[in-house]
Amino acid sequence: MALLSASISCRPPRVALGEAGEATGRSHFPPSRRSLPSPLPRSRARRVGVVPSHRRRDLSKTIHASVTDVPVDMAAEEVQLPKGETWSVHKFGGTCVGNSQRIKNVANIIMKDDSERKLVVVSAMSKVTDMMYDLIDKAQSRDDTYVFALDNVLEKHRSTALDLLEGNNLANFLSLLDGDISNLKAMLRAIYIAGHATESFTDFVVGHGELWSAQLLSSVIKKNGVDCTWMDTREVLIVSPTNSNQVDPDFPASEKKLEKWYSQNPSKTIIATGFIASTPYNIPTTLKRDGSDFSAAIMGSLLRARQVTIWTDVDGVYSADPRKVGEAVILKTLSYQEAWEMSYFGANVLHPRTIIPVMRYDIPIVIRNIFNLSAPGTKICRPSVSEDEDSHKLESYVKGFATIDNLALVNVEGTGMAGVPGTASAIFGAVKDVGANVIMISQASSEHSVCFAVPEKEVEAVSEALQSRFRQALDAGRLSKVQVISNCSILAAVGQKMASTPGVSATLFNALAKANINVRAIAQGCSEYNITVVVMREDCIRALRAVHSRFYLSRTTIAMGIIGPGLIGSTLLEQLRDQAAVLKEEFNIDLRVMGITGSKSMLLSEAGVDLSKWKELLKENGEVANLEKFIQHVHGNGFIPNTVLVDCTADSVVAGHYYNWLRRGIHVITPNKKANSGPLDQYLKLRALQRQSYTHYFYEATVGAGLPIVSTLRGLLETGDRILRIEGIFSGTLSYIFNNFIGKRSFSEVVAEAKQAGFTEPDPRDDLSGTDVQRKVIILARESGMKLELSDIPVDNLVPEPLRTSASAEEFMEKLPQFDQEWTNKLQEAEAAGEVLRYVGVVDLLKQRGAVELRTYKKDHAFAQLSGTDNIIAFTTTRYKEQPLIVRGPGAGAQVTAGGIFSDILRLASYLGAPS
């Protein structure tokens, strides 16, 4: 067998430097790692008859010949590149290979993959690419510390290699690493002298991180006995730079390069560098932003792979940014179009261009978490025609939501725009001239206005360009204004099935309206893959939570703040505790108590108070009560769009805040009568705000505890009935007293019994004075349309005149028996007439008056048939004139009052979208 020898020159070729230190085309790539590197791939080394140091083999097995040399017996048969589903492609980002242990984990994942053939794309180790860019910045800024920064890069990779490798593998890698660092020092020195780095020099320098991580991972896998080789993708991937800081892959040229490379380096496991490639002129370049993902997608396309798996540090693609929406969930599947749309609008999925190569051959992309191998991840693929799983659920229509912040809306408006060809072209031509990026466009069908969103940092230049371009039209009045609305954000809802589903837009805007969000602009393509709205930046997160809760979670989630954990408040908390799970499971209502505050201390929670031990938590973790801080916490919570404050106090100061709370988009529910029975002008202002907004104010428990009195009155009025008279026993306490004040019993004895049973206020005079009934009467009078002040309602005060100034409740109870005879006389007089005593409130709409008084009723009257603490209210209307409409039931007690509040909470949930 004849061997034809070829001379190998060890002298490095000269590198001719052009302007600013860029290597000219007279030298392509140095044969020696000790010479100054040229920004070209190592594959050129073979063309000058040199084996690169990182791929040297036994020279007895390698033949180098001149163009006239003819191999005799050693012509090897070329290995064909197999393509198709035998290949799986993996991509591991910098975090995945951030240290030696993580590189071992990656190696284990690769070795456990049972695919016949594997190509693995790796990024540089975590932070290395940033370190390499920092080297360039320091060198061209003539900052001498670039030398020390390069030493840090060397040490990071040296220490990692020492952890992972041993013997010849370690020695070889460290030798190559030292050679690379020496070359980089020389190149950085040249950049330092020139004070400038060309793009090709920069790309060549920063690409070293991928070269080192690929070699390290390949060595670790080979160390474990697996056949493996590594690929410098600058020898394979050919891309053409574009004007938009991106590159376009040349698939035919890259495919030929890959086939040639594989024929020389056949292996079933290939570790390839991500991020880097070459131009058609063999100049090193990079794939720009998210380049390693792009590399994996291109390689998957070239190999016609079965699947491309992108390994990252999250469990998959979320339905919304989990930092903004705490209840965002992992999506099992996304279509290519959905992933594309979500990527464009800022979702942390993939760069839109990453999806293009795999779409050509319907290759699925799977996003998985290297730190949570049990999570299945998100599969991005073409949906099957028969896919109708969960088609009845809203999340099958809208897959996810994404936002873009720091935008400004530019509105160009004027009657002179309508029907004038070229106006839009002139507008966007001016925008293009200043290099601004238009994120979204919306135009009225009347052509009267065009608005579009641009990054906020570019809006000043855009505005000036438009003012200049349309100066004549503005002066002549054909254009009325060029308006800039700053501090905007875009919210996009994305879903492929939205196109064929009626009502998606209505549901979206309904959710925004109920969250009190104002929409500034709207855009939707005819494909209906996304609906885009522009909102103010301060509303963006709340808007995102509102639509996510409405669509994806398909349940009504409400953040609650409980004010006043006294008898009524604590009973309500117990009822919420007992019913919360049932409401969530059966009715899709998720009630979260985010805070509880009393007059002295408060308890705040980020995720929701554990109601099984709220009293203990309030004692242990409570802080000094601060109502404004409490409101800010409950309303500004991390993930719930709807907020309700439940005021269980009788405090007029708290009631004075209702108007501002409602204006801030906070719903209010209360049994506190002070707001609705206070000054008439404040009441009218409160009700006007309630009617004008989507914020709700419910107060059923102010009149009848748990009885549906206010709602019954509203139902009658809303259906066109006319109220003639409302008369009733509105106090459960006084109902109990007069139901039991019979026979030989004394009045003071019955009052003491009611106090002992807990039916009265701590001071029974609060009940006997009639003020509570007076407030209920004024509330019903105002609900009926009467404009009365509280002082317009006369009250029959049952507290004897001499005892109204008693120093204490105890003193009052001690002296009350002195007046028993007066009460006995009244009772006997009523019984002699066959009547009973009852304390009633009356609203007389015919006479436009109200009153609270002690009256007598025949024993066969409905008011005489009561027992215990029952309330009874009779509505006399034009429909119910002969036989009044009666509402009767318990009107006092913590359980029924809390139940009335709870009923209002569920009513609110229904208004906010919970199923009825």
Side-chain angles (χ1 to χ4, degrees), residues 579-601:
Q579 197 66 11
V582 175
L583 290 173
K584 192 171 182 179
E585 292 300 319
E586 297 186 16
F587 300 98
N588 289 329
I589 299 172
D590 189 3
L591 304 176
R592 310 272 183 96
V593 176
M594 309 304 290
I596 302 169
T597 184
S599 58
K600 296 181 180 178
S601 63

Side-chain angles (χ1 to χ4, degrees), residues 235-451:
E235 301 174 18
V236 173
L237 297 186
I238 306 300
V239 297
S240 299
T242 68
N243 294 328
S244 54
N245 196 33
Q246 293 187 2
V247 294
D248 290 333
D250 185 337
F251 285 99
S254 298
E255 195 158 8
K256 289 180 182 177
K257 290 268 191 180
L258 177 60
E259 290 170 352
K260 181 178 179 181
W261 185 93
Y262 189 84
S263 71
Q264 298 169 354
N265 304 277
S267 178
K268 289 190 175 182
T269 302
I270 300 169
I271 310 300
T273 55
F275 186 57
I276 55 178
S278 293
T279 71
Y281 304 102
N282 261 0
I283 304 294
T285 188
T286 65
L287 301 185
K288 315 307 177 190
R289 179 188 165 198
D290 295 316
S292 293
D293 288 353
F294 200 19
S295 299
I298 295 169
M299 296 305 294
S301 174
L302 295 176
L303 294 170
R304 316 294 190 268
R306 172 180 58 83
Q307 178 174 290
V308 174
T309 304
I310 307 291
W311 293 89
T312 179
D313 55 359
V314 294
D315 286 345
V317 180
Y318 283 86
S319 53
D321 186 340
R323 294 168 298 182
K324 297 177 180 178
V325 180
E327 295 199 342
V329 297
I330 298 294
L331 301 174
K332 293 180 181 178
T333 61
L334 278 174
S335 71
Y336 294 124
Q337 288 82 2
E338 288 167 341
W340 198 337
E341 293 280 356
M342 289 185 71
S343 298
Y344 178 79
F345 285 104
N348 187 21
V349 186
L350 296 169
H351 193 279
R353 63 185 178 153
T354 303
I355 300 165
I356 298 172
V358 296
M359 281 182 66
R360 300 171 66 185
Y361 300 104
D362 286 346
I363 301 169
I365 298 177
V366 178
I367 313 292
R368 292 198 61 191
N369 189 351
I370 192 170
F371 305 114
N372 183 13
L373 299 182
S374 62
T378 299
K379 187 175 186 178
I380 301 171
C381 58
R382 193 178 303 280
S384 62
V385 177
S386 60
E387 184 184 15
D388 57 5
E389 180 184 359
D390 292 334
S391 61
H392 63 288
K393 293 185 178 179
L394 280 169
E395 61 262 35
S396 65
Y397 308 142
V398 179
K399 278 293 182 70
F401 301 89
T403 59
I404 304 177
D405 294 323
N406 303 317
L407 299 177
L409 204 58
V410 181
N411 182 44
V412 183
E413 186 177 303
T415 55
M417 294 172 57
V420 179
T423 303
S425 174
I427 292 172
F428 294 110
V431 175
K432 177 179 178 294
D433 290 342
V434 297
N437 180 30
V438 176
I439 308 295
M440 186 208 81
I441 303 170
S442 179
Q443 180 176 8
S445 59
S446 65
E447 302 182 44
H448 175 69
S449 68
V450 175
C451 73

Side-chain angles (χ1 to χ4, degrees), residues 562-565 595-603 618 625-627 630:
I562 307 297
I563 304 173
I596 302 169
T597 184
S599 58
K600 296 181 180 178
S601 63
M602 65 181 181
L603 174 65
L618 183 59
N626 181 316
L627 189 58
F630 178 81

